[in-house]
Amino acid sequence: MVVFKKIADLQAYLHQQKTSGTDIGFIPTMGALHKGHISLLGEAKKAGCLSVCSIFVNPTQFNDKEDFEKYPTSLEADMTLLLDAGCDVLFLPPVTEMYPAGTEEASKYDLGYLDTVLEAAHRPGHFKGVAQIVAKLLDAVQPQKLYMGQKDYQQCMVVRKMIEIDNRDVAMVICPTQREDDGLAMSSRNRRLTDPQRAVAGIIYQCLVSILTKKGNADFAIVRKECFDLMKHKGLEPDYVELADANDLTILSNYNGRPMVALIAAKVGNVRLIDNMIL
Ligand code: PAF
C-alpha cells in the first residue's frame, strides 16, 4: 500500500497507473474503519479497480464541535486493516491540503430539498460540508468509480446530487450496509457505545424490520408510534422514524406501491446512530 499526504504526489502516482488502463475505485472515509468500509474496498477490488482509500476527518461537516472532537480515530489499526484487505493507495491529507484557504471556505453546493429533511434538519450545514469535501477528494483522486455505503442513505443522495451539479464523470456504487449479529449497522460511532448501550442499540434494526414486515397491511402512523415507544422503552431517544420515496427522499405519510426507504435516527446515550432499510 502506498501512502500519500499531498495531492500533487498522489496525482503523479495515479497518472502513471491510469496510463496502464486501470480504473480507479475510490473509497472516501473518515477513518475508525470497520468491516463496512472494508466491504467497499472489497467491491472496488472485485471490479478490478486500483483501490484508493482516503482517511480525512472533515471539519466542515460537523455542526457540533463536540462531535468533531470526539470523532474516533485509530490510524494505526486502520492502516493494518487496509493493508490486510489489499488496499493499493491510502490518501491521508492534512487539513491544510484539503482547505488551503482555511476551513471557513464556504461550500458552493445548493442541495435544495435534500438539505432540509431528515439528517439535514438535525445537522444544519452537515451535507454542504459533505458535498464540499467529497468534491475536493474527487478532484484529487479523479476516480472512475466512487464506492459509498447505503448506511448513510441521505449522504449517498447528496453526493449523487453534487455529481450531477458538477456534471462529473464518475459512477457511484452504493454498497449494502454491513451489520453486527444483532442487526446493528456497522458504524465508526458504535465504538463509543458502552456495553449496556451496545446491548440495546440493535433495537433500531428491529424497528426497521418491523416497518418492512408491516408494509402493505398496516398504517405507517401506527407502526411509527410503535417504533418510537419501543426505542424509548429501551432507553433510546429517537429523533425520527420516517418513510420516504427511495429515489428522492420525499417524506411519505403512509406505505405506497413505489420503492420506499425507512429511515431512523436515535440517540443511545450521547451517541447518535442512523440506519435505513429499502422496502
Ligand atoms: O461517510 C463518511 O465517512 C464521510 O461523510 C465522507 C463521505 C468520507 C466525507 O467526509
Side-chain angles (χ1 to χ4, degrees):
M1 181 169 76
V2 207
V3 183
F4 295 101
K5 294 194 168 179
K6 292 210 167 299
I7 295 172
D9 296 341
L10 171 77
Q11 289 186 333
Y13 178 81
L14 293 179
H15 183 70
Q16 283 169 4
Q17 304 297 315
K18 272 186 198 160
T19 50
S20 65
T22 321
D23 273 359
I24 293 175
F26 177 47
I27 303 104
T29 84
M30 297 207 296
L33 301 182
H34 50 72
K35 283 189 199 148
H37 296 111
I38 299 304
S39 76
L40 304 182
L41 177 65
E43 289 301 321
K45 293 189 75 72
K46 244 193 270 168
C49 294
L50 180 92
S51 54
V52 180
C53 272
S54 62
I55 297 181
F56 180 69
V57 184
N58 173 37
T60 71
Q61 71 186 72
F62 287 86
N63 54 308
D64 177 352
K65 196 168 169 264
E66 196 185 323
D67 193 26
F68 176 55
E69 280 159 6
K70 285 200 180 147
Y71 199 83
T73 50
S74 52
L75 186 56
E76 237 175 86
D78 289 353
M79 288 181 74
T80 307
L81 271 178
L82 290 175
L83 263 176
D84 290 351
C87 176
D88 297 304
V89 178
L90 171 60
F91 181 42
L92 207 55
V95 174
T96 46
E97 192 68 5
M98 300 318 292
Y99 294 99
T103 51
E104 297 307 307
E105 180 191 320
S107 169
K108 66 173 188 179
Y109 294 101
D110 177 0
L111 304 164
Y113 170 76
L114 280 178
D115 210 9
T116 62
V117 285
L118 299 162
E119 282 308 281
H122 290 268
R123 303 180 68 187
H126 167 64
F127 286 125
K128 275 188 182 303
V130 169
Q132 180 183 34
I133 191 61
V134 178
K136 282 172 180 281
L137 291 166
L138 288 175
D139 286 343
V141 179
Q142 296 181 17
Q144 281 68 41
K145 292 191 172 128
L146 169 66
Y147 290 84
M148 303 204 65
Q150 189 203 312
K151 207 221 43 133
D152 296 299
Y153 196 86
Q154 192 173 3
Q155 168 167 280
C156 292
M157 304 280 116
V158 161
V159 170
R160 189 177 69 185
K161 174 137 192 168
M162 175 275 286
I163 289 172
E164 272 166 26
I165 292 173
D166 288 350
N167 200 15
R168 288 173 186 267
D169 187 13
V170 59
M172 188 161 82
V173 184
I174 301 178
C175 302
T177 304
Q178 301 298 305
R179 299 188 178 279
E180 305 288 354
D181 289 346
D182 65 347
L184 176 67
M186 289 189 184
S187 163
S188 306
R189 291 171 197 271
N190 294 355
R191 58 181 80 181
R192 284 176 49 204
L193 297 170
T194 61
D195 287 348
Q197 289 169 346
R198 173 64 193 83
V200 293
I203 199 74
I204 297 175
Y205 174 72
Q206 286 174 32
C207 287
L208 288 168
V209 172
S210 105
I211 296 172
L212 171 67
T213 47
K214 289 176 181 163
K215 175 181 140 181
N217 57 20
D219 181 342
F220 181 65
I222 296 173
V223 182
R224 173 206 265 137
K225 182 166 180 327
E226 285 166 0
C227 292
F228 261 88
D229 290 349
L230 192 59
M231 284 192 274
K232 282 187 181 158
H233 178 70
K234 293 279 180 184
L236 277 68
E237 258 183 71
D239 273 346
Y240 59 77
V241 175
E242 294 288 3
L243 195 59
D245 184 298
N247 293 317
D248 58 15
L249 281 188
T250 301
I251 302 298
L252 305 171
S253 55
N254 211 344
Y255 295 109
N256 67 31
R258 300 210 306 267
M260 290 174 281
V261 57
L263 306 108
I264 295 183
K267 282 199 206 80
V268 191
N270 60 2
V271 184
R272 191 166 177 283
L273 300 178
I274 59 170
D275 198 356
N276 67 81
M277 192 175 281
I278 306 262
L279 309 187

